[in-house]
Amino acid sequence: MSTSLEHLAAVAAAGVPGLAPVAVGPSPDDDADFRSAVVVDSSGRRWRVRSPLSPEASVRLETEHLVLRCFTPAVRSRLPFLVPTAAGCVAHGDLHAFVHSHIEGAPLDIDALARMAAAPDPEHHRHVPSAEPPPTLSVQLGRLLAAIHALPTALVLDADLPGYTTEQCRRRRLTELRRAAATRRVPSTLLRRWEQVLEDPAVWRFRPRVVHGDLQEDELVISRGRVRGVTGWTDLHVGDPAGDFAWLFAARDARLAEGVLEAYAAACRRTSFQAPDGAPDPHLLDRARLDAELALAQWLVRGVDRGAPELVADAEQMLATLERDVARRPEPAPDAVPQGTAPETTAESAAGTPVESVPDADLRDGSPGAAAPTPPAADPDPAGAPSVTGRATPPAGTGRPDQGRSTTS
């Protein structure tokens, strides 16, 4: 099947009535799962067309297409950024290609975002027609996350997208821990570290929110120092808001995560439909850090399951680096939280539900007792998950199996 730029332009014309292509170019989001292009029509509008290279990738694109249709004008008015508009789809061989509106800009790597947050470029704001200083990138990201988490849960549930309770979120992470332990390849110090977080009831007192589910730097469209749009909505669901912060731990500058959380907490203190109706819980970053670190263990499990020694070696090296980083890095104060925030509780967490423990012996030796029921099937090649402490990000294929519809974009 042809996936040339010219062919993708023809696909876009077939998927959107009245679209007359006059130019076509590569799309920055092209990866191993899709062939993408940006098409310019006769009226100057830009469209993004993506053609999947596998049935699994086609399902992911179809899910995102359906999610984008849930973003009505009323919903979009809640968001301080643009969301692509689903324009059409067309059969492309045995699969389906999809056409969305294109948002001008491009993603930046995580360390470039951290540098921009720490030292904004004055050139980006020279022509901003406002007496107020433009918000820093950290503030933009905090407001962005607050707006997503303030979306009504009905948006997700009415679209038949997943919703998880606090205990379900914890148990899914516990399943990941057990599967990682069963490989007998994860350093015992990391297993005990993760176990401690999973066993602490205070860490798991939070209110489930609408979450993006696969947020990372690749999904942010940046232009002149501003976040213009957010893409990759395949895993929209109701769950732990900490999951949307996990990618921030890939930055070498730890101040990025702290600055974003501070801006997020400030947004929550405002009375606005663009912010959650309560302050972030004090352990949000603890769970976000757990998510980021467990992503490396999931990369290991994926390599073991596939019988791919290169992936296994890659994951083992990253886990060993994480172990060294953890050993020489002091842990943050457990109750550290930006000023003015307060913990939230839910009916479930307030009831004092005991947290299921995992025996140390099972974690260390990977014995059968460490095994757990198989979690929902993961897509074969989801998007790369965040790394931690500024280390190299795992290659594509490390997405979590429990997010959204078990697919990522």
Side-chain angles (χ1 to χ4, degrees):
M1 179 191 307
S2 173
T3 55
S4 66
L5 293 179
E6 293 76 11
H7 184 79
L8 291 176
V11 168
V16 181
L19 191 157
V22 296
V24 62
S27 174
D29 71 336
D30 202 2
D31 61 24
D33 295 327
F34 313 104
R35 288 294 175 265
S36 307
V38 175
V39 177
V40 182
D41 66 15
S42 56
S43 62
R45 295 189 62 184
R46 295 175 181 267
W47 307 85
R48 185 166 57 123
V49 55
R50 290 190 291 176
S51 175
L53 300 180
S54 68
E56 293 80 10
S58 183
V59 170
R60 289 163 57 193
L61 288 182
E62 181 178 1
T63 301
E64 181 181 32
H65 191 75
L66 294 174
V67 168
L68 291 179
R69 289 186 177 276
C70 296
F71 284 93
T72 63
V75 170
R76 290 170 186 266
S77 71
R78 293 174 173 263
L79 304 173
F81 53 83
L82 299 175
V83 174
T85 300
C89 66
V90 62
H92 195 195
D94 296 330
L95 309 176
H96 285 82
F98 296 86
V99 184
H100 300 156
S101 61
H102 178 65
I103 301 174
E104 288 298 325
L108 298 176
D109 68 66
I110 186 70
D111 288 317
L113 290 176
R115 289 192 297 270
M116 186 181 296
D121 186 346
E123 287 297 317
H124 291 158
H125 310 300
R126 177 190 296 180
H127 304 294
V128 176
S130 172
E132 293 291 329
T136 65
L137 187 63
S138 292
V139 171
Q140 293 179 54
L141 292 175
R143 293 174 179 175
L144 176 155
L145 288 167
I148 294 175
H149 297 169
L151 289 172
T153 57
L155 169 71
V156 173
L157 302 182
D158 290 350
D160 197 28
L161 296 171
Y164 303 116
T165 66
T166 55
E167 178 61 12
Q168 286 174 327
C169 292
R170 187 191 71 86
R171 287 185 176 274
R172 288 171 178 272
R173 297 297 173 261
L174 181 60
T175 296
E176 294 179 8
L177 175 61
R178 288 170 163 172
R179 295 195 70 195
T183 66
R184 305 187 184 187
R185 296 172 180 270
V186 181
S188 60
T189 54
L190 293 181
L191 292 174
R192 287 193 296 269
R193 170 184 170 87
W194 300 335
E195 178 190 5
Q196 289 172 358
V197 178
L198 287 163
E199 285 187 336
D200 187 349
V203 174
W204 299 92
R205 294 187 182 125
F206 65 88
R207 174 182 293 183
R209 301 282 187 185
V210 174
V211 295
H212 180 281
D214 189 35
L215 195 63
Q216 51 191 304
E217 63 270 24
D218 291 343
E219 313 300 351
L220 302 178
V221 182
I222 310 294
S223 177
R224 298 185 61 81
R226 303 298 297 269
V227 181
R228 286 187 47 80
V230 179
T231 62
W233 293 92
T234 299
D235 288 323
L236 188 73
H237 66 280
V238 176
D240 186 356
D244 282 347
F245 285 81
W247 65 283
L248 296 170
F249 286 97
R252 291 179 172 85
D253 188 346
R255 294 175 298 175
L256 178 62
E258 296 165 358
V260 172
L261 178 60
E262 183 178 358
Y264 179 87
C268 291
R269 291 194 293 269
R270 298 183 305 174
T271 302
S272 170
F273 66 88
Q274 291 185 332
D277 54 1
D281 68 274
H283 293 284
L284 185 146
L285 286 189
D286 293 331
R287 297 192 309 279
R289 185 180 293 106
L290 174 69
D291 268 19
E293 295 179 3
L294 278 176
L296 305 182
Q298 287 298 95
W299 181 234
L300 171 67
V301 170
R302 193 172 303 280
V304 171
D305 288 348
R306 292 181 177 180
E310 298 86 358
L311 302 189
V312 171
D314 185 40
E316 288 182 319
Q317 180 180 5
M318 290 188 290
L319 288 167
T321 302
L322 174 60
E323 182 184 26
R324 292 193 297 270
D325 290 345
V326 167
R328 64 172 178 259
R329 186 179 70 246
E331 289 297 313
D335 293 326
V337 65
Q339 184 178 2
T341 63
E344 286 187 9
T345 58
T346 62
E348 180 180 49
S349 61
T353 304
V355 179
E356 179 182 348
S357 64
V358 184
D360 269 359
D362 286 349
L363 294 181
R364 285 193 296 269
D365 63 15
S367 63
T374 303
D379 60 286
D381 291 294
S387 64
V388 293
T389 63
R391 299 164 347 90
T393 303
T398 58
R400 294 197 174 283
D402 66 332
Q403 291 179 334
R405 292 178 174 268
S406 302
T407 58
T408 60
S409 67

